[in-house]
Amino acid sequence: QVQLVESGGGLVQAGGSLKISCTASERTSSSTSMAWFRQAPGKEREFVAASWRNTGNTYYADSVKGRFTISKNNAKTTVYLQMNNLKPEDTAVYYCAAGSTLILSSIRRVAAYSYWGQGTQVTVSS
């Protein structure tokens, strides 16, 4: 079973930046897509960003487009989320996810992913 561990969360002021990481317990396959989701109190888990298989193609929620960047290391064991110009509404627990059998049209769906990290808290103060 693949283990995913997030790190790098913390408290930042609005307008600041933060980079969080997710490391897999083993190297992912060429078909593995990686994604970031977030969940704020009282809300459903929502899509943030994803990297499609081994293509390097990336996808973003409209709310973070232009501010956040998802990337992977060369070994494909770690996925990053660089968050710039943070806003208070970005405050949430951020989860990384991985899946190998999903289709592109499902890339934004929680149910498409088989593996999840434990989450890391990101708090943005005003």
Side-chain angles (χ1 to χ4, degrees), residues 25-95:
S25 60
E26 57 192 73
R27 193 177 188 275
T28 58
S29 71
S30 61
S31 63
T32 301
S33 297
M34 303 290 292
W36 288 97
F37 290 77
R38 67 188 183 187
Q39 188 165 23
K43 294 186 177 181
E44 294 183 347
R45 192 167 299 187
E46 68 173 356
F47 172 79
V48 176
S51 180
W52 177 249
R53 296 189 171 184
N54 64 344
T55 65
N57 294 333
T58 56
Y59 302 84
Y60 298 93
D62 289 342
S63 59
V64 307
K65 194 171 297 183
R67 300 188 298 122
F68 291 10
T69 303
I70 187 171
S71 62
K72 298 176 181 176
N73 68 350
N74 290 333
K76 303 186 188 302
T77 53
T78 302
V79 62
Y80 307 94
L81 186 68
Q82 176 67 53
M83 301 179 285
N84 297 326
N85 191 26
L86 283 160
K87 304 174 180 180
E89 50 263 45
D90 294 319
T91 295
V93 176
Y94 283 71
Y95 298 90

Side-chain angles (χ1 to χ4, degrees), residues 9-13 18 86-88 90-92 94 121-125:
L11 174 64
V12 297
Q13 289 186 295
L18 195 66
L86 283 160
K87 304 174 180 180
D90 294 319
T91 295
Y94 283 71
Q121 177 71 47
V122 173
T123 303
V124 184
S125 62

